[in-house]
Structure formats: structure tokens, C-alpha cells
Amino acid sequence: MPKTLYDKLWEDHVVHVEEDGTALLYIDRHLVHEVTSPQAFEGLRLAGRKPWRVSSIVATADHNTPTDHWDEGIKDPISRQQVETLDANIHESGALAYFPFRDLRQGIVHVIGPENGATLPGMTVVCGDSHTSTHGAFACLAHGIGTSEVEHVLATQCLLQKKSKAMLVKVDGALGRGVSAKDLALALIGRIGTAGGTGYAIEFGGSTIRALSMEGRMTLCNMAIEAGARVGFIAVDDTTINYLKGRAFAPLGDNWDRAVAHWRTLVSDAGARFDAVVEVDARSILPQVTWGTSPEMVTDVKGRVPAPEDFADPVKREGVERALQYMGLTPRTPIDRIAVDKVFIGSCTNSRIEDLRAAAAIAKGRRKADNVKLVLVVPGSGLVKRQAEAEGLDKIFIAAGFEWREPGCSMCLAMNADRLEPGERCASTSNRNFEGRQGNGGRTHLVSPAMAATAAIAGHFADVRELI
Amino acid sequence: MRKFTQIDGLVAPLDRANVDTDAIIPKQFLKSIKRSGFGPNAFDEWRYLDHGEPGMDNAKRAPNPDFVLNQPRYQGASILLTRENFGCGSSREHAPWALEDYGFRALIGPSFADIFFNNCFKNGLLPIRLPASEVEALFALVQATPGFKLRIDLDAQTVTRPDGKALRFEVDAFRKYCLLNGFDDIGLTLRHADKIRDFEARRRIEQPWLFA
């Protein structure tokens, strides 16, 4: 019987199955960061247990780390304690790799795994972070877990899982000029909703996906969780294999050839059956901007803020009313008349080299608008930062009046000092526009890196296609 | 883990869809390295008028009188009635820790986000999915009836209304077994340690590059 990629990934990791179908899945890669791991290490110690296989662990500090004045360390004492706790836990347990605060290879956990070749096709990848779905770009079964499960994986190298249903999101046609994987992700979420993928594992396929770079694929898989799906993945092709060749933890020699032969099988068989299929015409997608407090509250840059009465369902209508009030927006306002106070270019969604190039292409030779108080550019890792500087992108950003910072999660979730003040409006390349996400009372509009840079230059949302 | 068998609990309604885990427990409280003490900061941004930070004396903060959980009639609630897609967003287990520490033992709604749903079971917190029409009816009953309680019986898989109407819910047999007995997942999994070792040994031979 033809199998989906999901079937193949699942079956390759089943250690044991309970009567009700709950499976014990073997975990190949365990990514660890400072926020969701201290209680897990503590639990392990209290139970007198040891990590099962420390060579599966790749760890870094990213959520709490500052993005400037690294020479001064971490000023917030509780943030510092959390990072130091990770240092101590990894020091005690060991790991395949640890990239601590200020290490050249430190960065956002979902950036450093792939760029170091620690994320390989066919792996199960877990992390105490919902955006672990990012690694699905490499045909991995990758998803976020809670801290109890972090402890479970540390102790047993396995996870108890029920198999999800399989959804194919088939995207065909060329993306338009100025339209990126981020716009595709937002448009898809706008269509199926933030619960559209709940209970499903999503495979992204079709000619548009095949044409995406690995960076674009990571952006798309990263946002699968915003569509409700814990996992989103893409079959292996030449793009995948070419990206991995020569990376620090990628296999070498004979092992490389054997691995590639295996990875080539990581595709859905012709005729494989999916529980749901969503077809998307990429040519119809325009640059996207969210207007509300859920990623599904999105429209294109030529659109307008909706009115509550546009929604028939009373729960939805009330949600829209509340969102507009929180966002300080009047129904029917054209999106391109909404002014922004701050711009954030970064996060596990959009902080890779290609994202920075897209933003720099807009910023080049231009200046940020006077009403924009701050434009933060936060590379995803030390290696991304180094690459960007080698290409001169930092100079373009600085000349445009943007700030060029050190790597980390930064204002995506504002656990460090980078945040919005109450009422401030931000064009952000991150993944969540929830109330308070970027700072108490802050108002987040999700966009692509090119659209964020365009908003910085124009001072309000504007169509990137007019600047390229 | 605390066992869950049966409860008779006061119900509090949170009438909004897509309640995300950032709302359940804001990020500043995630800096803690403990797994307890999050209850006073559950729904912090909605619940208090001021901005909360770790280390504040929450008893001295001004509660938001408009937030439903602050109403006197819902004090002591152990069942939270919710709308679609509750617990979406971040995988932070601090969300179920905060709800459990607040005093909730069960959540009832039409749907829950996957990761959050899973995390609840690790903490003795029972998320119950009921058809949207039943949830709608429960919202109406809670709002109309001060002191509205429900009886939840995990073994029988029923939610029983005061009028005697019993609503059946589904729960995975394995999760039910763990929750009824308060079993620690890790202990159960380690009963299969030999199988895990065998699997791993085979994998090392078949896909050695995974073990570099």
C-alpha cells in the first residue's frame, strides 16, 4: 500500500505500541533551551535518573539572552539564573553540542540545529518549544513538547504519542514578486484557521514548495503550529541534500552516501492517501499583514481591517470586536494607512540569512521613517550574523537607521529587554500576534521580512512591490 | 502525579475562543526554574489592572473587576468552561501548571490545541472535549445558575449536569489509565527499557549517521 511521508517517519520510530494505539516513539534529536528544561533536569535528579543518550542533545540559551551589550552579561537576575541553570545542567549531563550565551554558534534553537547539520532528514526532533515544527523542512517528524515530556525524553529517549491524521497542503504556481514563504504561511492560516490543522500532521507539497529554498521551507514549517498542527514537513529533494552537505554534524564519506540513499526515500508514495487535502494557488497570494490578535486574523496589504458584522458566528464576531479594541483599529481602515512605531526583523520564523537579505534589499539606500522609533534586526544565530556581516548587510541596516543586534529570540516573545511598550504598534516578522506577546499592551502585526523593512521605510504598512 | 477519579466542582466560564498559552501564563513568569507557584499569575494580564512581574506580592495588586474569574460567584471553581482551540500557541507547560495551581482540575471545551491538551494529562488536569452544542448549553446554564456545579467521572467518562443529564466524553485508554492511577509516565516507559535498547542498537547499525 502506498505510504505517506508521515507513515514512513512514524513507522521508522515505533518502539512499542499500547493496546489503544499509543506508541512509544524513539527520539533521535533533543533540542534544549533554558526556559523549558530546568524543571525537567530537576525532576530527573529527584528521581535519581540519568539522561538516556546525551549525544542526542543539542542545547543553547536563546529566549532570555540580551541582544546588546554582551560584555555586560545578563542584567536581569532571574533571566541570568535560568541561563546559568542550563549551563550547569548541560555541564553535568553532557551533550552532543552546547552553544552557550556569547558563543559564536549560539542562536535561536531552531536556527542552530539546521545550520549545524544537527537536524537531519528522517529524524524525530523534539524540543520544549512549539516552533520545533520548523525542522520538518528537512523531512523530520519534529514537534514541540512540554517540560514533563522533556524529562521523559531525557530519561527514556522516547515519547508516548498517538498518531495524528495526515493532511496534504498542496501549493502550486509561482509566488509573485515580493511574496515570500511567510506570506504563503499567513495566507494559508487565514484560510484554514488557527485550529485548521489541529489533530493533523501537515505535509507541504506541490511545485511552489519544491521551488522554495530551505530557509523558505523552514519559515513555512515553523508556522504549521500557528495553523494548529504540531508537525509540518516537506519531502526530501536536491534542495534538502545540497543544503546539508558539509555542515558541521552532517555525515561524511560512506555514511553520507548511505544517508543520502535513505533520505531519498523520504517522500510520500504516489497514490498515498491523506485524510484531508488543501489546495492553494500560490499565484493568488499577495503580501500579507495580520490585523488582529490571532494569526488567522490576516488580510493582504491591499485589504482593509474588517468589521465585526462581517462575521456570522457570534463567538468569532466577539473575538474580532475584542481584537480590534486591543489593536486600536477602526473597521474598514485600509491596511496601508496603519502607521507603525517599531519594527522587528528576527525570530525562528524569519531570522536566517535569506530573510536578512530580503530586508536589506528594501533598506538599501533608504532611511527609516521618522515616526518609527526603533527597527530591530536580530539575526538568528552567531553564524547568520557573521554571514550577514560578510555580505555587508549590517552596514545597509545601520545606514538605514536600523539597529543591528546580537542573536536570540528577542522581541518575538520579549522575555529579554526587547519589547513593546503599552499601545505601541509593531511590524514584526515573528509568528504570534497574541495580546501582550511582544510586551504588555503591545500591538503586533505579522509580516514578511521584506514587508517589515517596507513598513520601516514608509512609516506605515505599504506594498513591498512598490519598492522592489 | 495527582490521581484523577471523580470530582464535583464549581464551574467558571471563560467565554472566548483561541485562548493562547501566553494569555494563560505570560512570558515573564517563565523565567522561574520551579514548576509550582504559577497559580497567582494565571491569566495575569486579564486578571489584574497593573502589569505583573515575578516576585510581586499578588495579594496587594488590584484585580480587574471585569475579568470573569474575579467574580465572587466563581471563587473556588475547579472546572473551567472554555471555547474553541483553548491552549493554542506556545508549548509552555507552565500553562497547565498555572491552571492546576490556581485550583482547576478539569477543563471543558469544544476543542483544545494539541500540545496543551497533551501537557494537561501530565499534570493531573483533565481536558474534556464535548460537542459544541453541549458546550453552548453549559455556558447558558452556568451564566443562569449561581453555584453551578458539574460532576466529572473519569472512569465512567461522563460529565453530569445538575439536572441529571450525563454527557459522555472520549479519552484515550492509556491516558485514562495513567490519570486514574496517578502513574508517572517515565516509570511506565522504563518497563520497556529492553525494547528501547534493542531498537536503539538496531538503529545504530541501520542508520549510523544518526549516532555521530
Side-chain angles (χ1 to χ4, degrees), chain A residues 39 147, chain B residues 34-35 38 93-101 123:
Chain A
Q39 298 87 349
T147 298
Chain B
K34 301 201 176 87
R35 61 189 302 159
F38 295 99
E93 196 165 318
H94 311 66
W97 293 340
L99 294 171
E100 198 266 348
D101 195 49
N123 294 283

Side-chain angles (χ1 to χ4, degrees), chain B residues 2 10-11 15 21 39 55 72 78 87 89 102 107-108 110 120 126 135 138 147 162-163 190 196 199 201:
Chain B
R2 179 148 64 139
L10 184 70
V11 183
D15 194 2
T21 53
S78 58
Y102 180 94
L107 311 168
I108 298 175
C120 287
L126 177 63
V135 172
L138 289 176
D163 61 8
L190 286 174
I196 302 170
F199 180 94

Side-chain angles (χ1 to χ4, degrees), chain A residues 141-195:
Chain A
L141 191 58
H143 62 85
I145 55 178
T147 298
S148 294
E149 290 179 318
V150 171
E151 184 180 338
H152 193 278
V153 174
L154 285 172
T156 70
Q157 209 58 41
C158 289
L159 207 53
L160 287 160
Q161 291 286 294
K162 264 290 203 42
K163 198 173 176 188
S164 303
K165 290 177 284 183
M167 178 187 286
L168 174 66
V169 173
K170 191 168 176 299
V171 193
D172 286 298
L175 287 169
R177 207 168 48 94
V179 181
S180 70
K182 179 64 164 290
D183 301 296
L184 169 57
L186 289 171
L188 174 69
I189 294 163
R191 183 163 139 198
I192 70 173
T194 49

Side-chain angles (χ1 to χ4, degrees), chain B residues 108-130:
Chain B
I108 298 175
S111 65
F112 296 88
D114 284 344
I115 301 176
F116 173 81
F117 186 76
N118 199 38
N119 284 340
C120 287
F121 284 96
K122 314 291 180 190
N123 294 283
L125 189 62
L126 177 63
I128 296 173
R129 285 186 289 232
L130 288 179

